[in-house]
mmCIF file of all heavy atoms in Angstrom:
data_model
loop_
_atom_site.group_PDB
_atom_site.id
_atom_site.type_symbol
_atom_site.label_atom_id
_atom_site.label_comp_id
_atom_site.label_asym_id
_atom_site.label_seq_id
_atom_site.Cartn_x
_atom_site.Cartn_y
_atom_site.Cartn_z
ATOM 1 N N ARG P 1 -2.076 -15.169 -27.022
ATOM 2 C CA ARG P 1 -1.195 -14.801 -28.125
ATOM 3 C C ARG P 1 -0.993 -13.283 -28.093
ATOM 4 O O ARG P 1 -1.942 -12.527 -28.040
ATOM 5 C CB ARG P 1 -1.790 -15.198 -29.457
ATOM 6 C CG ARG P 1 -2.058 -16.679 -29.536
ATOM 7 C CD ARG P 1 -2.350 -17.084 -30.976
ATOM 8 N NE ARG P 1 -2.890 -18.402 -31.038
ATOM 9 C CZ ARG P 1 -2.173 -19.516 -30.988
ATOM 10 N NH1 ARG P 1 -0.904 -19.464 -30.810
ATOM 11 N NH2 ARG P 1 -2.738 -20.690 -31.072
ATOM 12 N N GLY P 2 0.260 -12.865 -28.148
ATOM 13 C CA GLY P 2 0.535 -11.437 -28.187
ATOM 14 C C GLY P 2 0.232 -10.752 -26.877
ATOM 15 O O GLY P 2 0.520 -11.273 -25.808
ATOM 16 N N ASN P 3 -0.361 -9.575 -26.988
ATOM 17 C CA ASN P 3 -0.639 -8.771 -25.806
ATOM 18 C C ASN P 3 -1.720 -9.374 -24.930
ATOM 19 O O ASN P 3 -2.598 -10.089 -25.412
ATOM 20 C CB ASN P 3 -1.033 -7.350 -26.215
ATOM 21 C CG ASN P 3 0.158 -6.559 -26.721
ATOM 22 O OD1 ASN P 3 1.310 -6.888 -26.420
ATOM 23 N ND2 ASN P 3 -0.116 -5.542 -27.495
ATOM 24 N N ILE P 4 -1.643 -9.059 -23.662
ATOM 25 C CA ILE P 4 -2.611 -9.533 -22.674
ATOM 26 C C ILE P 4 -3.697 -8.462 -22.552
ATOM 27 O O ILE P 4 -3.406 -7.296 -22.281
ATOM 28 C CB ILE P 4 -1.928 -9.772 -21.316
ATOM 29 C CG1 ILE P 4 -0.762 -10.747 -21.488
ATOM 30 C CG2 ILE P 4 -2.924 -10.287 -20.293
ATOM 31 C CD1 ILE P 4 0.210 -10.770 -20.314
ATOM 32 N N THR P 5 -4.945 -8.852 -22.766
ATOM 33 C CA THR P 5 -6.042 -7.901 -22.729
ATOM 34 C C THR P 5 -6.302 -7.423 -21.288
ATOM 35 O O THR P 5 -5.901 -8.095 -20.331
ATOM 36 C CB THR P 5 -7.346 -8.526 -23.265
ATOM 37 O OG1 THR P 5 -7.772 -9.537 -22.355
ATOM 38 C CG2 THR P 5 -7.159 -9.103 -24.658
ATOM 39 N N PRO P 6 -6.984 -6.295 -21.130
ATOM 40 C CA PRO P 6 -7.307 -5.830 -19.770
ATOM 41 C C PRO P 6 -8.088 -6.871 -18.957
ATOM 42 O O PRO P 6 -7.807 -7.056 -17.771
ATOM 43 C CB PRO P 6 -8.153 -4.578 -20.034
ATOM 44 C CG PRO P 6 -7.623 -4.054 -21.333
ATOM 45 C CD PRO P 6 -7.340 -5.297 -22.151
ATOM 46 N N ALA P 7 -9.015 -7.585 -19.570
ATOM 47 C CA ALA P 7 -9.773 -8.607 -18.850
ATOM 48 C C ALA P 7 -8.866 -9.755 -18.417
ATOM 49 O O ALA P 7 -8.988 -10.262 -17.293
ATOM 50 C CB ALA P 7 -10.904 -9.149 -19.722
ATOM 51 N N GLU P 8 -7.954 -10.151 -19.290
ATOM 52 C CA GLU P 8 -7.002 -11.213 -18.945
ATOM 53 C C GLU P 8 -6.064 -10.751 -17.828
ATOM 54 O O GLU P 8 -5.729 -11.547 -16.943
ATOM 55 C CB GLU P 8 -6.205 -11.624 -20.180
ATOM 56 C CG GLU P 8 -7.044 -12.329 -21.214
ATOM 57 C CD GLU P 8 -6.343 -12.526 -22.553
ATOM 58 O OE1 GLU P 8 -5.405 -11.750 -22.865
ATOM 59 O OE2 GLU P 8 -6.750 -13.431 -23.285
ATOM 60 N N ARG P 9 -5.653 -9.492 -17.859
ATOM 61 C CA ARG P 9 -4.793 -8.952 -16.792
ATOM 62 C C ARG P 9 -5.495 -9.036 -15.448
ATOM 63 O O ARG P 9 -4.900 -9.420 -14.445
ATOM 64 C CB ARG P 9 -4.375 -7.516 -17.101
ATOM 65 C CG ARG P 9 -3.344 -7.424 -18.194
ATOM 66 C CD ARG P 9 -2.687 -6.074 -18.282
ATOM 67 N NE ARG P 9 -3.564 -4.980 -18.607
ATOM 68 C CZ ARG P 9 -3.762 -4.514 -19.837
ATOM 69 N NH1 ARG P 9 -3.140 -5.045 -20.867
ATOM 70 N NH2 ARG P 9 -4.552 -3.494 -20.055
ATOM 71 N N GLU P 10 -6.763 -8.684 -15.421
ATOM 72 C CA GLU P 10 -7.510 -8.748 -14.165
ATOM 73 C C GLU P 10 -7.596 -10.187 -13.652
ATOM 74 O O GLU P 10 -7.455 -10.416 -12.450
ATOM 75 C CB GLU P 10 -8.913 -8.147 -14.345
ATOM 76 C CG GLU P 10 -8.924 -6.646 -14.508
ATOM 77 C CD GLU P 10 -8.192 -5.919 -13.402
ATOM 78 O OE1 GLU P 10 -8.442 -6.208 -12.199
ATOM 79 O OE2 GLU P 10 -7.345 -5.058 -13.707
ATOM 80 N N THR P 11 -7.800 -11.126 -14.546
ATOM 81 C CA THR P 11 -7.840 -12.536 -14.153
ATOM 82 C C THR P 11 -6.491 -12.965 -13.592
ATOM 83 O O THR P 11 -6.420 -13.611 -12.536
ATOM 84 C CB THR P 11 -8.223 -13.425 -15.361
ATOM 85 O OG1 THR P 11 -9.524 -13.059 -15.809
ATOM 86 C CG2 THR P 11 -8.205 -14.896 -14.991
ATOM 87 N N LEU P 12 -5.412 -12.616 -14.267
ATOM 88 C CA LEU P 12 -4.085 -13.003 -13.828
ATOM 89 C C LEU P 12 -3.719 -12.375 -12.478
ATOM 90 O O LEU P 12 -3.078 -13.002 -11.639
ATOM 91 C CB LEU P 12 -3.040 -12.636 -14.879
ATOM 92 C CG LEU P 12 -3.057 -13.495 -16.140
ATOM 93 C CD1 LEU P 12 -2.208 -12.871 -17.240
ATOM 94 C CD2 LEU P 12 -2.588 -14.906 -15.846
ATOM 95 N N LYS P 13 -4.107 -11.118 -12.265
ATOM 96 C CA LYS P 13 -3.797 -10.422 -11.011
ATOM 97 C C LYS P 13 -4.399 -11.116 -9.794
ATOM 98 O O LYS P 13 -3.902 -10.963 -8.686
ATOM 99 C CB LYS P 13 -4.272 -8.968 -11.062
ATOM 100 C CG LYS P 13 -3.416 -8.083 -11.905
ATOM 101 C CD LYS P 13 -3.957 -6.674 -11.904
ATOM 102 C CE LYS P 13 -3.159 -5.777 -12.823
ATOM 103 N NZ LYS P 13 -3.680 -4.391 -12.821
ATOM 104 N N LYS P 14 -5.453 -11.884 -10.011
ATOM 105 C CA LYS P 14 -6.098 -12.581 -8.900
ATOM 106 C C LYS P 14 -5.300 -13.805 -8.445
ATOM 107 O O LYS P 14 -5.545 -14.337 -7.369
ATOM 108 C CB LYS P 14 -7.509 -13.006 -9.300
ATOM 109 C CG LYS P 14 -8.438 -11.823 -9.487
ATOM 110 C CD LYS P 14 -9.789 -12.258 -9.983
ATOM 111 C CE LYS P 14 -10.659 -11.041 -10.275
ATOM 112 N NZ LYS P 14 -11.931 -11.434 -10.891
ATOM 113 N N ASN P 15 -4.347 -14.250 -9.250
ATOM 114 C CA ASN P 15 -3.554 -15.431 -8.896
ATOM 115 C C ASN P 15 -2.493 -15.020 -7.874
ATOM 116 O O ASN P 15 -1.773 -14.032 -8.050
ATOM 117 C CB ASN P 15 -2.886 -16.026 -10.135
ATOM 118 C CG ASN P 15 -2.201 -17.334 -9.836
ATOM 119 O OD1 ASN P 15 -1.217 -17.367 -9.110
ATOM 120 N ND2 ASN P 15 -2.719 -18.416 -10.399
ATOM 121 N N GLN P 16 -2.387 -15.800 -6.816
ATOM 122 C CA GLN P 16 -1.459 -15.493 -5.719
ATOM 123 C C GLN P 16 -0.001 -15.463 -6.162
ATOM 124 O O GLN P 16 0.834 -14.886 -5.488
ATOM 125 C CB GLN P 16 -1.607 -16.516 -4.611
ATOM 126 C CG GLN P 16 -1.199 -17.920 -4.999
ATOM 127 C CD GLN P 16 -1.319 -18.919 -3.886
ATOM 128 O OE1 GLN P 16 -1.364 -18.553 -2.730
ATOM 129 N NE2 GLN P 16 -1.408 -20.207 -4.229
ATOM 130 N N TYR P 17 0.315 -16.081 -7.286
ATOM 131 C CA TYR P 17 1.696 -16.155 -7.740
ATOM 132 C C TYR P 17 2.075 -15.055 -8.735
ATOM 133 O O TYR P 17 3.191 -15.062 -9.246
ATOM 134 C CB TYR P 17 1.963 -17.513 -8.389
ATOM 135 C CG TYR P 17 1.826 -18.672 -7.435
ATOM 136 C CD1 TYR P 17 0.898 -19.686 -7.652
ATOM 137 C CD2 TYR P 17 2.617 -18.759 -6.296
ATOM 138 C CE1 TYR P 17 0.780 -20.749 -6.784
ATOM 139 C CE2 TYR P 17 2.507 -19.814 -5.415
ATOM 140 C CZ TYR P 17 1.593 -20.811 -5.666
ATOM 141 O OH TYR P 17 1.477 -21.866 -4.781
ATOM 142 N N VAL P 18 1.176 -14.133 -9.000
ATOM 143 C CA VAL P 18 1.459 -13.034 -9.915
ATOM 144 C C VAL P 18 1.771 -11.774 -9.105
ATOM 145 O O VAL P 18 0.971 -11.331 -8.295
ATOM 146 C CB VAL P 18 0.272 -12.780 -10.871
ATOM 147 C CG1 VAL P 18 0.486 -11.527 -11.699
ATOM 148 C CG2 VAL P 18 0.059 -13.980 -11.777
ATOM 149 N N VAL P 19 2.963 -11.216 -9.356
ATOM 150 C CA VAL P 19 3.371 -9.990 -8.687
ATOM 151 C C VAL P 19 2.855 -8.787 -9.456
ATOM 152 O O VAL P 19 2.373 -7.816 -8.885
ATOM 153 C CB VAL P 19 4.911 -9.920 -8.554
ATOM 154 C CG1 VAL P 19 5.369 -8.598 -7.999
ATOM 155 C CG2 VAL P 19 5.408 -11.073 -7.694
ATOM 156 N N ASP P 20 2.955 -8.850 -10.789
ATOM 157 C CA ASP P 20 2.498 -7.753 -11.634
ATOM 158 C C ASP P 20 2.198 -8.300 -13.023
ATOM 159 O O ASP P 20 2.752 -9.320 -13.429
ATOM 160 C CB ASP P 20 3.560 -6.660 -11.716
ATOM 161 C CG ASP P 20 3.053 -5.383 -12.384
ATOM 162 O OD1 ASP P 20 1.846 -5.074 -12.248
ATOM 163 O OD2 ASP P 20 3.864 -4.686 -13.023
ATOM 164 N N VAL P 21 1.344 -7.593 -13.733
ATOM 165 C CA VAL P 21 1.035 -7.969 -15.111
ATOM 166 C C VAL P 21 0.757 -6.694 -15.896
ATOM 167 O O VAL P 21 0.087 -5.798 -15.405
ATOM 168 C CB VAL P 21 -0.133 -8.982 -15.190
ATOM 169 C CG1 VAL P 21 -1.407 -8.425 -14.592
ATOM 170 C CG2 VAL P 21 -0.367 -9.453 -16.599
ATOM 171 N N THR P 22 1.338 -6.626 -17.097
ATOM 172 C CA THR P 22 1.088 -5.501 -18.000
ATOM 173 C C THR P 22 0.524 -6.069 -19.281
ATOM 174 O O THR P 22 0.235 -7.256 -19.370
ATOM 175 C CB THR P 22 2.402 -4.730 -18.278
ATOM 176 O OG1 THR P 22 3.292 -5.591 -19.003
ATOM 177 C CG2 THR P 22 3.059 -4.242 -16.997
ATOM 178 N N GLY P 23 0.426 -5.247 -20.295
ATOM 179 C CA GLY P 23 -0.094 -5.700 -21.571
ATOM 180 C C GLY P 23 0.749 -6.749 -22.258
ATOM 181 O O GLY P 23 0.265 -7.472 -23.117
ATOM 182 N N ASN P 24 2.040 -6.838 -21.890
ATOM 183 C CA ASN P 24 2.897 -7.818 -22.558
ATOM 184 C C ASN P 24 3.863 -8.538 -21.614
ATOM 185 O O ASN P 24 4.758 -9.230 -22.073
ATOM 186 C CB ASN P 24 3.687 -7.154 -23.680
ATOM 187 C CG ASN P 24 4.582 -6.042 -23.169
ATOM 188 O OD1 ASN P 24 4.657 -5.792 -21.976
ATOM 189 N ND2 ASN P 24 5.243 -5.362 -24.068
ATOM 190 N N ARG P 25 3.682 -8.396 -20.301
ATOM 191 C CA ARG P 25 4.620 -8.997 -19.361
ATOM 192 C C ARG P 25 3.912 -9.470 -18.096
ATOM 193 O O ARG P 25 3.054 -8.775 -17.562
ATOM 194 C CB ARG P 25 5.679 -7.976 -18.992
ATOM 195 C CG ARG P 25 6.745 -8.493 -18.085
ATOM 196 C CD ARG P 25 7.799 -7.452 -17.834
ATOM 197 N NE ARG P 25 8.854 -8.036 -17.049
ATOM 198 C CZ ARG P 25 9.781 -7.364 -16.431
ATOM 199 N NH1 ARG P 25 9.800 -6.051 -16.522
ATOM 200 N NH2 ARG P 25 10.703 -7.973 -15.724
ATOM 201 N N ILE P 26 4.336 -10.640 -17.622
ATOM 202 C CA ILE P 26 3.826 -11.157 -16.353
ATOM 203 C C ILE P 26 5.037 -11.342 -15.440
ATOM 204 O O ILE P 26 6.032 -11.951 -15.839
ATOM 205 C CB ILE P 26 3.114 -12.506 -16.522
ATOM 206 C CG1 ILE P 26 1.956 -12.381 -17.517
ATOM 207 C CG2 ILE P 26 2.606 -13.030 -15.181
ATOM 208 C CD1 ILE P 26 1.403 -13.712 -17.978
ATOM 209 N N VAL P 27 4.966 -10.807 -14.237
ATOM 210 C CA VAL P 27 6.024 -11.006 -13.243
ATOM 211 C C VAL P 27 5.480 -12.012 -12.230
ATOM 212 O O VAL P 27 4.489 -11.746 -11.556
ATOM 213 C CB VAL P 27 6.420 -9.674 -12.545
ATOM 214 C CG1 VAL P 27 7.505 -9.947 -11.508
ATOM 215 C CG2 VAL P 27 6.876 -8.655 -13.564
ATOM 216 N N TYR P 28 6.152 -13.169 -12.171
ATOM 217 C CA TYR P 28 5.752 -14.232 -11.261
ATOM 218 C C TYR P 28 6.514 -14.110 -9.957
ATOM 219 O O TYR P 28 7.652 -13.644 -9.934
ATOM 220 C CB TYR P 28 6.039 -15.602 -11.892
ATOM 221 C CG TYR P 28 5.348 -15.827 -13.201
ATOM 222 C CD1 TYR P 28 5.981 -15.525 -14.400
ATOM 223 C CD2 TYR P 28 4.064 -16.331 -13.253
ATOM 224 C CE1 TYR P 28 5.340 -15.726 -15.617
ATOM 225 C CE2 TYR P 28 3.420 -16.541 -14.455
ATOM 226 C CZ TYR P 28 4.059 -16.233 -15.645
ATOM 227 O OH TYR P 28 3.427 -16.435 -16.844
ATOM 228 N N SER P 29 5.909 -14.553 -8.865
ATOM 229 C CA SER P 29 6.580 -14.505 -7.562
ATOM 230 C C SER P 29 7.734 -15.501 -7.524
ATOM 231 O O SER P 29 7.729 -16.530 -8.215
ATOM 232 C CB SER P 29 5.586 -14.803 -6.434
ATOM 233 O OG SER P 29 5.221 -16.173 -6.462
ATOM 234 N N ASN P 30 8.704 -15.200 -6.694
ATOM 235 C CA ASN P 30 9.812 -16.130 -6.482
ATOM 236 C C ASN P 30 9.295 -17.442 -5.921
ATOM 237 O O ASN P 30 9.822 -18.510 -6.229
ATOM 238 C CB ASN P 30 10.850 -15.520 -5.559
ATOM 239 C CG ASN P 30 11.663 -14.439 -6.264
ATOM 240 O OD1 ASN P 30 11.755 -14.413 -7.491
ATOM 241 N ND2 ASN P 30 12.249 -13.546 -5.505
ATOM 242 N N GLU P 31 8.255 -17.354 -5.089
ATOM 243 C CA GLU P 31 7.642 -18.558 -4.528
ATOM 244 C C GLU P 31 7.178 -19.498 -5.644
ATOM 245 O O GLU P 31 7.395 -20.713 -5.588
ATOM 246 C CB GLU P 31 6.466 -18.184 -3.641
ATOM 247 C CG GLU P 31 5.717 -19.344 -3.064
ATOM 248 C CD GLU P 31 4.460 -18.930 -2.304
ATOM 249 O OE1 GLU P 31 4.130 -17.732 -2.254
ATOM 250 O OE2 GLU P 31 3.785 -19.841 -1.782
ATOM 251 N N PHE P 32 6.554 -18.928 -6.681
ATOM 252 C CA PHE P 32 6.086 -19.756 -7.782
ATOM 253 C C PHE P 32 7.250 -20.344 -8.577
ATOM 254 O O PHE P 32 7.220 -21.502 -8.987
ATOM 255 C CB PHE P 32 5.147 -18.989 -8.726
ATOM 256 C CG PHE P 32 4.665 -19.847 -9.865
ATOM 257 C CD1 PHE P 32 3.876 -20.962 -9.627
ATOM 258 C CD2 PHE P 32 5.025 -19.553 -11.175
ATOM 259 C CE1 PHE P 32 3.448 -21.782 -10.678
ATOM 260 C CE2 PHE P 32 4.604 -20.360 -12.215
ATOM 261 C CZ PHE P 32 3.820 -21.468 -11.966
ATOM 262 N N LYS P 33 8.290 -19.544 -8.801
ATOM 263 C CA LYS P 33 9.445 -20.035 -9.546
ATOM 264 C C LYS P 33 10.076 -21.239 -8.827
ATOM 265 O O LYS P 33 10.419 -22.248 -9.454
ATOM 266 C CB LYS P 33 10.476 -18.940 -9.730
ATOM 267 C CG LYS P 33 10.000 -17.810 -10.616
ATOM 268 C CD LYS P 33 11.008 -16.685 -10.634
ATOM 269 C CE LYS P 33 10.461 -15.457 -11.307
ATOM 270 N NZ LYS P 33 11.424 -14.345 -11.270
ATOM 271 N N LYS P 34 10.187 -21.148 -7.514
ATOM 272 C CA LYS P 34 10.738 -22.268 -6.727
ATOM 273 C C LYS P 34 9.799 -23.469 -6.797
ATOM 274 O O LYS P 34 10.245 -24.605 -6.960
ATOM 275 C CB LYS P 34 10.939 -21.847 -5.267
ATOM 276 C CG LYS P 34 12.041 -20.831 -5.084
ATOM 277 C CD LYS P 34 12.088 -20.345 -3.647
ATOM 278 C CE LYS P 34 13.022 -19.182 -3.484
ATOM 279 N NZ LYS P 34 12.970 -18.609 -2.131
ATOM 280 N N HIS P 35 8.502 -23.212 -6.666
ATOM 281 C CA HIS P 35 7.505 -24.278 -6.754
ATOM 282 C C HIS P 35 7.577 -24.936 -8.142
ATOM 283 O O HIS P 35 7.563 -26.163 -8.254
ATOM 284 C CB HIS P 35 6.115 -23.701 -6.505
ATOM 285 C CG HIS P 35 5.013 -24.656 -6.814
ATOM 286 N ND1 HIS P 35 4.699 -25.737 -6.001
ATOM 287 C CD2 HIS P 35 4.129 -24.712 -7.852
ATOM 288 C CE1 HIS P 35 3.700 -26.406 -6.527
ATOM 289 N NE2 HIS P 35 3.344 -25.811 -7.662
ATOM 290 N N PHE P 36 7.655 -24.109 -9.169
ATOM 291 C CA PHE P 36 7.722 -24.630 -10.530
ATOM 292 C C PHE P 36 8.908 -25.561 -10.683
ATOM 293 O O PHE P 36 8.769 -26.679 -11.190
ATOM 294 C CB PHE P 36 7.826 -23.474 -11.551
ATOM 295 C CG PHE P 36 7.989 -23.969 -12.951
ATOM 296 C CD1 PHE P 36 6.881 -24.217 -13.742
ATOM 297 C CD2 PHE P 36 9.249 -24.228 -13.477
ATOM 298 C CE1 PHE P 36 7.021 -24.722 -15.034
ATOM 299 C CE2 PHE P 36 9.401 -24.721 -14.758
ATOM 300 C CZ PHE P 36 8.293 -24.958 -15.543
ATOM 301 N N MET P 37 10.089 -25.121 -10.259
ATOM 302 C CA MET P 37 11.295 -25.941 -10.429
ATOM 303 C C MET P 37 11.207 -27.237 -9.614
ATOM 304 O O MET P 37 11.615 -28.291 -10.107
ATOM 305 C CB MET P 37 12.547 -25.152 -10.064
ATOM 306 C CG MET P 37 12.957 -24.165 -11.127
ATOM 307 S SD MET P 37 13.083 -24.828 -12.815
ATOM 308 C CE MET P 37 14.250 -26.178 -12.598
ATOM 309 N N SER P 38 10.664 -27.177 -8.436
ATOM 310 C CA SER P 38 10.506 -28.367 -7.620
ATOM 311 C C SER P 38 9.608 -29.387 -8.318
ATOM 312 O O SER P 38 9.941 -30.580 -8.409
ATOM 313 C CB SER P 38 9.913 -27.985 -6.260
ATOM 314 O OG SER P 38 9.649 -29.146 -5.511
ATOM 315 N N GLU P 39 8.487 -28.913 -8.818
ATOM 316 C CA GLU P 39 7.547 -29.799 -9.517
ATOM 317 C C GLU P 39 8.151 -30.323 -10.827
ATOM 318 O O GLU P 39 7.987 -31.478 -11.179
ATOM 319 C CB GLU P 39 6.241 -29.054 -9.806
ATOM 320 C CG GLU P 39 5.470 -28.655 -8.561
ATOM 321 C CD GLU P 39 4.853 -29.845 -7.856
ATOM 322 O OE1 GLU P 39 3.979 -30.475 -8.463
ATOM 323 O OE2 GLU P 39 5.276 -30.144 -6.731
#
């Protein structure tokens, strides 16, 4: 909910489908977006 904590950002950065993450934004890879739509 709301902002992403520093600990949560570190967890998200470890995911292969995350390009970048800030306190309030996650940038997902195009690969994941295509995978998401296919599924």
Side-chain angles (χ1 to χ4, degrees):
R1 302 193 193 280
N3 288 338
I4 304 165
T5 68
E8 292 169 336
R9 286 194 297 265
E10 289 306 311
T11 298
L12 288 168
K13 285 180 184 180
K14 292 176 185 174
N15 187 293
Q16 65 179 340
Y17 297 120
V18 173
V19 174
D20 190 31
V21 60
T22 66
N24 60 3
R25 183 177 185 194
I26 303 167
V27 179
Y28 301 93
S29 71
N30 286 338
E31 177 186 2
F32 180 64
K33 294 174 190 178
K34 291 174 189 174
H35 170 74
F36 176 90
M37 284 309 304
S38 174
E39 295 289 295

